[in-house]
Amino acid sequence: MRLARRASADEQVARRPRLLGVSGKMGENDAIRVAVSTVIFSLRSAPEGDRLMLPLVRRTREPYRGAWALPGGWLDAAENLDAAASRTLAETTALDPGYLEQLYTFGDVDRAPSRTISIVYWALLRSDYVDAQRSASDAPENVEWFDVDAIPPLAFDHNRIADYALDRLRNKVGYSRIAASLLPDEFTLTELREVYEAVLGRRLDPSNFRRLLEGSDELVPTESFRTGKHRPARLYRYNADA
Amino acid sequence: MRLARRASADEQVARRPRLLGVSGKMGENDAIRVAVSTVIFSLRSAPEGDRLMLPLVRRTREPYRGAWALPGGWLDAAENLDAAASRTLAETTALDPGYLEQLYTFGDVDRAPSRTISIVYWALLRSDYVDAQRSASDAPENVEWFDVDAIPPLAFDHNRIADYALDRLRNKVGYSRIAASLLPDEFTLTELREVYEAVLGRRLDPSNFRRLLEGSDELVPTESFRTGKHRPARLYRYNADA
DNA sequence: TCAAAAGTGTTGGGGATACACCCATGT
DNA sequence: ACATGGGTGTATCCCCAACACTTTTGA
């Protein structure tokens, strides 16, 4: 599968003259704070079928008190970046991600009142875990899921970050098998195709989709079938190795 | 000093209680320092033809004093990330990059004696600028160019970083037109092909390469020809728009 | 028996590769 | 003239989109 690539927009910024003598030694970047945020995606049932959604948290502090924002927190001096992302993810959803990858580091001087750089990760969650948690109603407070096509205005530059993560997800779905991370262990080809359709936002030909994935070594057929209203569909699982 | 702690992406790390009443508020990550480094690529003539090379700087301080390292410096509290990358690049080569993009942020707890995260960029430099500077012998001190196939042991985790940047360059050359940034404004198709060959490390069919790029809208033929030992070759330039 | 989803077969276009071949120039 | 790189033509293969078609189930 192939789809259009995205080009990151990076602007050339003119060299800023350094005021020597302001700080004695190099390495004294006292005023810089380091945050880690995560854009979390999962599928959730909606009237129009499964929709790609992400959780946002309502801010309880200034600045942007009361606004929606991406889950995140300050980097602890004794934890790795991946660990910080996992931690903030767990604090938000109490769930293990099936996929977690660093996205980009945002650090414009004016993106927050005090100089803050945000190392942003993105993650995929299995839809059945999320649904189970919702029905168990032990979901964390101040967290709400939003359709990626209806994200409200967010605090800081988080709208830009969420858009960037969505681009990356859509791009990467085209050439890797991360879609697995949004589904339970076993699934039908139609369910997998619907994941691709929800992520990409367009319909795919069922027969070509079948051939494409059956031809690859990524899927392993099982002996089980999902029975429903019509002809039963074979269940598949992802090939763990290669 | 702090002991190294390795955490996988899935590991849930409990929030470590913060010692000291220096600050009770979140957001005081006092012990974390932020560096910006850049992996710079350019083509340089070698006996076997043009080779892809990168500049390294010799460290004059502990740790790793005397070892080769990637160019970089501390992030200034008043400059954007891109600006910091441009600045460290200018300090190393005194040249403007034709291409500059953020690569990844490395932040393992044990990657340096004191907790340091490095926001790494990668850049491409026009070969004619680099050659001109070399002959003008106003090159910066303590800087030396190395073939990407013969990178010496580097300080910190810089070998891993350089390998990562090289992967990204080779991958991106396949689907984008960044190769332009390694050449002067005008060039022949053979010169452009040799750039691709130097980057990818394999030979390409001249006729297919020609058709590929003439068919795209990326190249604009000029009326000039490069005369040499044989039939003159038409000069092209990259299409500025789209 | 019919609707609908599961699953198969067939065709054709476009891009990539391999390679035969002609063209223009300096020596 | 001839060697060498510049440049053109063309056949083949493979991937994949399009779509007609058959199979299997629940109702």
Side-chain angles (χ1 to χ4, degrees), chain B residues 57-219:
Chain B
V57 299
R58 199 183 280 283
R59 286 184 59 82
T60 58
R61 294 186 190 79
E62 296 295 344
Y64 294 100
R65 179 200 298 260
W68 294 106
L70 294 172
W74 301 111
L75 175 64
D76 192 283
E79 69 183 345
N80 285 350
L81 304 183
D82 292 353
S86 292
R87 172 174 57 78
T88 63
L89 197 148
E91 288 166 359
T92 305
T93 68
L95 295 171
D96 281 334
Y99 184 79
L100 179 64
E101 180 189 327
Q102 189 182 307
L103 176 68
Y104 197 81
T105 297
F106 296 83
D108 279 359
V109 170
D110 60 355
R111 64 182 292 276
S114 71
R115 183 67 194 275
T116 302
I117 70 172
S118 280
I119 303 167
V120 178
Y121 281 71
W122 65 286
L124 299 181
L125 287 187
R126 278 173 57 155
S127 55
D128 54 337
Y129 287 176
V130 178
D131 287 340
Q133 184 189 60
R134 179 185 186 82
S135 53
S137 75
D138 59 350
E141 300 286 331
N142 284 326
V143 175
E144 198 165 307
W145 288 77
F146 290 83
D147 191 304
V148 296
D149 287 333
I151 299 176
L154 303 181
F156 306 107
D157 51 357
H158 286 189
N159 280 102
R160 181 184 161 218
I161 295 177
D163 289 346
Y164 192 88
L166 189 54
D167 282 350
R168 179 98 140 227
L169 167 61
R170 290 192 163 133
N171 183 39
K172 192 147 191 173
V173 152
Y175 63 88
S176 104
R177 32 184 246 160
I178 50 173
S181 311
L182 290 166
L183 285 180
D185 289 332
E186 300 194 338
F187 47 84
T188 68
L189 282 176
T190 295
E191 288 166 351
L192 182 60
R193 175 172 49 82
E194 285 168 348
V195 172
Y196 277 81
E197 290 177 343
V199 170
L200 298 176
R202 62 188 167 90
R203 313 288 281 175
L204 300 173
D205 182 291
S207 58
N208 292 332
F209 182 83
R210 163 181 303 274
R211 230 187 324 266
L212 204 60
L213 287 185
E214 275 183 339
S216 77
D217 57 350
E218 297 179 5
L219 288 189

Side-chain angles (χ1 to χ4, degrees), chain A residues 38-45 50-56 71 85-101 121-134 139-140 143-146 148 169 173 177-185 195 198-199, chain B residues 9-10 12:
Chain A
T38 307
V39 186
I40 305 166
F41 296 104
S42 190
L43 289 176
R44 298 176 65 86
S45 337
D50 280 358
R51 302 286 304 169
L52 188 63
M53 306 188 87
L54 53 79
L56 298 172
S86 291
R87 173 173 57 78
T88 63
L89 198 147
E91 288 168 358
T92 305
T93 69
L95 294 171
D96 282 334
Y99 185 79
L100 179 65
E101 180 189 324
Y121 281 71
W122 64 287
L124 299 181
L125 288 186
R126 277 174 58 156
S127 55
D128 53 336
Y129 287 176
V130 178
D131 286 340
Q133 184 191 61
R134 180 185 184 82
V143 175
E144 198 165 308
W145 287 76
F146 290 83
V148 296
L169 166 61
V173 151
R177 36 186 239 153
I178 51 172
S181 311
L182 290 167
L183 285 180
D185 290 330
V195 172
V199 170
Chain B
D10 295 331
Q12 298 293 342

Side-chain angles (χ1 to χ4, degrees), chain A residues 15-26, chain B residues 76 87 91:
Chain A
R15 175 174 176 178
R16 169 188 299 265
R18 290 173 70 82
L19 309 175
L20 298 181
V22 166
S23 81
K25 306 187 303 186
M26 284 181 69
Chain B
D76 192 283
R87 172 174 57 78
E91 288 166 359

Side-chain angles (χ1 to χ4, degrees), chain A residues 32-230:
Chain A
I32 303 177
R33 302 196 294 171
V34 182
V36 174
S37 296
T38 307
V39 186
I40 305 166
F41 296 104
S42 190
L43 289 176
R44 298 176 65 86
S45 337
E48 329 85 76
D50 280 358
R51 302 286 304 169
L52 188 63
M53 306 188 87
L54 53 79
L56 298 172
V57 298
R58 198 182 281 282
R59 286 185 59 82
T60 57
R61 294 185 189 79
E62 294 297 342
Y64 295 101
R65 181 202 297 260
W68 294 106
L70 294 172
W74 301 110
L75 176 65
D76 191 283
E79 69 183 344
N80 285 351
L81 304 183
D82 291 355
S86 291
R87 173 173 57 78
T88 63
L89 198 147
E91 288 168 358
T92 305
T93 69
L95 294 171
D96 282 334
Y99 185 79
L100 179 65
E101 180 189 324
Q102 189 183 307
L103 175 68
Y104 198 81
T105 297
F106 297 83
D108 280 0
V109 171
D110 59 356
R111 63 183 294 277
S114 71
R115 183 67 195 276
T116 302
I117 69 171
S118 280
I119 304 166
V120 178
Y121 281 71
W122 64 287
L124 299 181
L125 288 186
R126 277 174 58 156
S127 55
D128 53 336
Y129 287 176
V130 178
D131 286 340
Q133 184 191 61
R134 180 185 184 82
S135 54
S137 74
D138 58 352
E141 300 285 332
N142 283 326
V143 175
E144 198 165 308
W145 287 76
F146 290 83
D147 191 303
V148 296
D149 287 332
I151 298 177
L154 303 181
F156 306 106
D157 52 358
H158 288 190
N159 280 102
R160 181 183 163 219
I161 295 177
D163 290 345
Y164 192 86
L166 190 54
D167 281 351
R168 179 99 140 227
L169 166 61
R170 290 190 164 135
N171 185 31
K172 191 146 192 173
V173 151
Y175 62 89
S176 99
R177 36 186 239 153
I178 51 172
S181 311
L182 290 167
L183 285 180
D185 290 330
E186 299 193 339
F187 47 84
T188 68
L189 282 176
T190 295
E191 288 166 351
L192 182 60
R193 175 172 50 81
E194 285 168 348
V195 172
Y196 278 81
E197 291 177 343
V199 170
L200 298 176
R202 62 188 168 90
R203 312 288 280 175
L204 300 174
D205 183 290
S207 57
N208 291 332
F209 183 84
R210 163 182 304 275
R211 232 187 324 268
L212 204 61
L213 288 183
E214 276 182 339
S216 77
D217 57 350
E218 296 180 4
L219 287 189
V220 180
T222 72
E223 291 311 311
S224 316
F225 288 81
R226 169 143 312 156
T227 114
K229 286 200 291 275
H230 300 291

